[in-house]
Amino acid sequence: QVQLVESGGGLVQPGGSLRLSCTPSGRTFSRPAMGWFRQAPGKGREFVSAITSSGGGTYYAESVKGRFTISRDNAKNTVYLQMNSLKPEDTAVYSCAAGFCSGYRCYERAEYDIWGRGTQVTVSS
């Protein structure tokens, strides 16, 4: 069975930084797109960022643009999310996902078929 495992979450003060990592567990797989989604308490899961291997396209939600940076190590099938200038409204469970999407279709949850369980990010003073 293929799974993704997230790490790097935690408690941070407003204005602080965290770096999330997402690595595969189980048998190897190949997906051109990897993304991050988040779900805050009482809210639906929302797109945060995605990256594709073809051309290295990157995509961000407006709410995180300029603060978050996504990157990937294709040799390790690992994706990272560097989060800077964190705000209390960034508090959520962050999940990574892998899929076959390209371009702006990568904003859609339905485009991903492999998911991790998530890691908690809490931004609070």
Side-chain angles (χ1 to χ4, degrees):
Q1 186 175 358
V2 178
Q3 287 185 327
L4 296 170
V5 180
E6 302 92 341
S7 61
L11 173 64
V12 64
Q13 292 186 340
S17 298
L18 284 174
R19 187 192 192 211
L20 304 184
S21 298
C22 172
T23 58
S25 174
R27 60 182 176 86
T28 59
F29 66 94
S30 177
R31 294 291 188 275
M34 296 188 78
W36 287 96
F37 290 75
R38 68 185 181 186
Q39 187 167 17
K43 295 186 177 181
R45 184 175 288 180
E46 65 173 359
F47 171 80
V48 176
S49 182
I51 185 168
T52 58
S53 59
S54 58
T58 57
Y59 307 90
Y60 297 94
E62 285 298 321
S63 59
V64 307
K65 198 172 290 185
R67 300 187 298 123
F68 291 12
T69 302
I70 192 169
S71 60
R72 68 186 292 173
D73 182 334
N74 288 329
K76 299 179 180 179
N77 251 351
T78 299
V79 64
Y80 306 96
L81 186 68
Q82 178 67 43
M83 306 186 296
N84 299 328
S85 302
L86 283 162
K87 305 175 181 180
E89 51 264 43
D90 294 317
T91 295
V93 175
Y94 284 71
S95 301
C96 68
F100 290 101
C101 59
S102 62
Y104 288 94
R105 294 185 67 87
C106 292
Y107 281 77
E108 305 297 327
R109 290 176 293 171
E111 295 292 329
Y112 300 86
D113 62 330
I114 301 175
W115 288 83
R117 293 188 174 183
T119 183
Q120 177 70 46
V121 171
T122 302
V123 185
S124 175
S125 55

